[in-house]
Amino acid sequence: IREKGNPTIQRCSIQDGKSVGIYIQQSGAGSILDCEIMRSKLANIEIASQSQPTLRGCKIHDGSYPGIFVHDGGSGLIENCEIWGNALSGLEVRSASNPILRKCTFHTGIQCGVYFNEGAGGVLEDCEISHNGFSGLELKKCVLPVVRRCTIRDNSQCGALVWSGARGSLEDCQILGNGYAGIEVRDGAHPSIKTCTIQSNGYQGVWVYGDSG
């Protein structure tokens, strides 16, 4: 979907593609509703270059790349989706992209559940991130997302890893039962952490070191 294309794709199954499942680029839009996108060789969903689609009620799983990959100024609205079992992160956002995600679940990914990198922003609200192979949430390299009212639980490493100069904020989150620290902050990172419940994690509740604060 590209160059202001604006289709509606509803109740479709898109599977076993040799590239990206659905690729929205160059100011594409569109609504992707109640679809199942799975087992793509690259990202199941890729959003790039000022594109702003709406994804709602989709199941996105078992891809060989991130489940959803947003980059190069991509944005859009992603609601009530379930993302699981992808070979990299469930969601990766990078390079000045700013999607809004609400009421999504990210679980049983091979690496981290949600990964913001390279100046990315956006909003993650009322989501659940659980049972991923790395950290539940990773913020890296001066990212500025807002993570609000999310539950981050039972991930193999940290609940949230904030590092390499990242910022961003975690507000009103539940961070529970993760294998390492609830929140680890290092390497010059400076997040804002407000009114979160952090309990029953494997190491420290909050661990800050390496010129961070």
Side-chain angles (χ1 to χ4, degrees):
I1 303 170
R2 57 190 295 173
E3 298 170 355
K4 299 184 180 179
N6 190 25
T8 297
I9 303 170
Q10 190 167 9
R11 293 191 293 274
C12 292
S13 178
I14 299 169
Q15 55 187 285
D16 300 310
K18 303 304 182 186
S19 181
V20 178
I22 301 177
Y23 189 10
I24 307 103
Q25 61 173 318
Q26 296 180 14
S27 301
S31 297
I32 302 165
L33 310 175
D34 302 310
C35 292
E36 185 168 17
I37 305 101
M38 57 182 161
R39 298 193 301 267
S40 303
K41 290 297 184 185
L42 297 178
N44 281 315
I45 300 284
E46 186 169 347
I47 302 168
S49 49
Q50 287 70 56
S51 295
Q52 300 183 58
T54 296
L55 281 72
R56 188 173 289 120
C58 293
K59 297 182 183 298
I60 300 165
H61 61 95
D62 294 305
S64 299
Y65 213 65
I68 303 173
F69 182 30
V70 188
H71 61 97
D72 293 316
S75 59
L77 175 64
I78 303 169
E79 291 184 318
N80 293 298
C81 292
E82 183 180 7
I83 300 98
W84 78 92
N86 296 283
L88 300 181
S89 53
L91 167 72
E92 181 174 339
V93 185
R94 63 169 64 216
S95 51
S97 297
N98 291 278
I100 297 171
L101 294 102
R102 297 190 179 115
K103 298 182 180 178
C104 294
T105 60
F106 301 87
H107 64 87
T108 54
I110 304 303
Q111 296 190 9
C112 58
V114 174
Y115 179 35
F116 288 89
N117 191 12
E118 294 180 358
V123 178
L124 196 70
E125 289 183 327
D126 301 305
C127 294
E128 181 167 303
I129 307 169
S130 67
H131 297 98
N132 295 285
F134 289 5
S135 297
L137 172 69
E138 184 174 342
L139 311 182
K140 181 182 179 184
K141 290 186 180 177
C142 297
V143 297
L144 291 167
V146 176
V147 180
R148 184 181 293 127
R149 297 188 303 275
C150 292
T151 298
I152 305 172
R153 64 177 181 83
D154 299 311
N155 297 285
S156 295
Q157 297 184 6
C158 300
L161 172 61
V162 188
W163 67 297
S164 191
R167 294 183 181 273
S169 65
L170 287 85
E171 304 171 4
D172 302 305
C173 292
Q174 305 280 321
I175 303 173
L176 316 166
N178 298 285
Y180 293 2
I183 302 174
E184 180 178 339
V185 182
R186 61 181 173 88
D187 302 333
H190 294 273
S192 172
I193 303 168
K194 300 178 182 178
T195 57
C196 292
T197 298
I198 305 166
Q199 69 182 52
S200 302
N201 296 285
Y203 294 168
Q204 301 88 345
V206 179
W207 187 22
V208 182
Y209 62 101
D211 195 29
S212 299

